[in-house]
């Protein structure tokens, strides 16, 4: 897929089906890594808008679009939020220990708090699809950031109640993830390994694996 610059892409005004992405989707998927250190360079408004619009285009159950985003630039608020990130104990309870992304929240010029309004959802066979919708929307956020040369990381471990109060988020709304957004301090390597396909793909029925798997690579390469 040929890459075309953003400005050219806009001028061309192609229809939806003709349109070519500026970065190949598989490139973005393969090269995205969690970025936790950033340089001081500001994030251009145009790029931020493109990322927010990518979130907007995410599919959602019944097209409810439960996501609500708070874009935070204020450095004092970012610092205060970084202090509310933490770790978890064996019972998955939040504990106020250090989080690997704590510093990144202070360094990155933008922090996006992704919230979910679950009021229009009930669990469907005990499945809370609003969290799925947030997962898809935030993947759009992370991949479009990558496509634009920016970095981010899903920060999921924080004191939700305190973050909610700090940002005036209503009590019925969940704060699901925090995303520091900025230019990466350095290019990231392959990152943590992935399970080979044969560990999680079954054929025809649960548990039926292929005897040999052509793709048993553990790394992030395709
Ligand atoms: C729901 C969720 C919560 C996460 N929470 C944190 C977090 O609190 N702090 C952090 O540094 N990384 C967090 N991560 C990032 C993961 O550690 C990371 O995605 C994983 O190790 C794979 O590395 P990669 O993203 O570089 O491929 C989270 C990721 C997800 C999807």
């Amino acid at each position: 897929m040929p890459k075309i610059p953003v400005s050219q892409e806009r001028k061309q005004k192609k229809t939806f089906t003709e349109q070519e992405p500026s970065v190949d989707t598989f490139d973005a998927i393969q090269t995205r890594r969690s970025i936790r250190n950033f340089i001081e360079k500001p994030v251009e408004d145009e790029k931020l808008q493109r990322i927010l619009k990518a979130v907007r285009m995410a599919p959602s159950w019944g097209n409810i679009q439960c996501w609500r985003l708070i874009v935070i630039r204020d450095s004092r608020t970012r610092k205060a939020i970084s202090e509310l990130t933490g770790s978890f104990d064996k019972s998955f309870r939040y504990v106020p220990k250090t989080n690997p992304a704590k510093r990144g929240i202070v360094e990155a010029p933008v922090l996006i708090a992704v919230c979910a309004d679950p009021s229009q959802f009930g669990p469907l066979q005990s499945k809370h699809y609003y969290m799925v919708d947030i997962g898809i929307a935030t993947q759009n956020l992370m991949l479009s950031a990558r496509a634009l040369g920016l970095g981010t990381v899903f920060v999921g471990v924080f004191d939700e109640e305190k973050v909610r109060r700090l940002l005036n988020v209503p009590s019925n709304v969940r704060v699901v993830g925090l995303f520091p957004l900025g230019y990466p301090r350095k290019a990231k390597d392959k990152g943590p390994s992935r399970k080979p396909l044969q560990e999680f793909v079954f054929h025809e029925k649960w548990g039926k694996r292929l005897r040999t798997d052509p793709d048993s690579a553990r790394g992030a390469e395709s």
Side-chain angles (χ1 to χ4, degrees):
M1 184 90 54
K3 295 178 186 176
I4 52 173
V6 177
S7 53
Q8 219 181 313
E9 190 190 17
R10 220 166 277 126
K11 268 186 226 146
Q12 286 176 346
K13 289 249 177 215
K14 286 183 172 178
T15 64
F16 176 74
T17 43
E18 287 170 324
Q19 226 160 33
E20 289 162 310
S22 53
V23 168
D24 177 71
T25 307
F26 285 94
D27 273 356
I29 291 170
Q30 289 295 333
T31 61
R32 183 213 58 81
R33 297 265 70 82
S34 288
I35 301 296
R36 299 179 177 87
N37 294 103
F38 303 88
I39 57 171
E40 272 182 33
K41 187 176 171 184
V43 172
E44 299 84 344
D45 280 340
E46 191 195 35
K47 288 194 175 182
L48 180 61
Q49 287 302 314
R50 288 194 79 188
I51 291 168
L52 299 175
K53 285 178 180 170
V55 169
R56 179 175 177 242
M57 290 313 295
S60 63
W61 189 33
N63 199 26
I64 288 174
Q65 305 165 61
C66 70
W67 44 79
R68 304 286 182 270
L69 274 56
I70 307 175
V71 177
I72 304 154
R73 293 182 188 271
D74 184 80
S75 59
R76 278 165 310 177
T77 310
R78 285 188 286 106
K79 174 87 177 85
I81 290 178
S82 80
E83 297 296 335
L84 298 174
T85 60
S87 189
F88 50 88
D89 64 16
K90 282 184 189 147
S91 315
F92 289 99
R93 273 184 309 235
Y94 170 83
V95 286
K97 285 190 182 157
T98 195
N99 185 296
K102 181 178 177 182
R103 206 170 135 196
I105 293 180
V106 179
E107 285 178 356
V110 177
L111 177 67
I112 303 178
V114 178
C115 307
D117 176 359
S119 58
Q120 292 179 62
F121 286 84
L124 189 70
Q125 296 174 65
S126 319
K127 286 180 273 191
H128 294 266
Y129 278 119
Y130 80 89
M131 288 295 267
V132 175
D133 293 352
I134 292 294
I136 299 168
T138 55
Q139 181 73 332
N140 276 13
L141 187 161
M142 292 185 279
L143 290 180
S144 57
R146 170 66 198 141
L148 294 168
L150 293 160
T152 188
V153 53
F154 193 135
V155 184
V157 192
F158 53 88
D159 186 328
E160 185 184 3
E161 193 44 49
K162 288 189 179 159
V163 170
R164 187 187 277 125
R165 265 187 265 139
L166 189 75
L167 299 175
N168 295 343
V169 175
S171 57
N172 59 315
V173 172
R174 303 300 307 262
V175 187
V176 184
L178 305 168
F179 296 80
L181 180 71
Y183 285 91
R185 184 168 293 282
K186 58 180 175 122
K188 264 217 131 174
D189 52 17
K190 273 199 325 193
S193 66
R194 298 299 198 256
K195 292 175 180 168
L197 294 188
Q198 66 196 119
E199 261 188 46
F200 66 91
V201 181
F202 302 138
H203 294 269
E204 312 303 343
K205 293 274 170 73
W206 179 270
K208 199 170 170 216
R209 296 190 165 96
L210 289 184
R211 230 175 265 157
T212 53
D213 189 336
D215 182 0
S216 58
R218 294 197 74 96
E221 66 275 359
S222 52

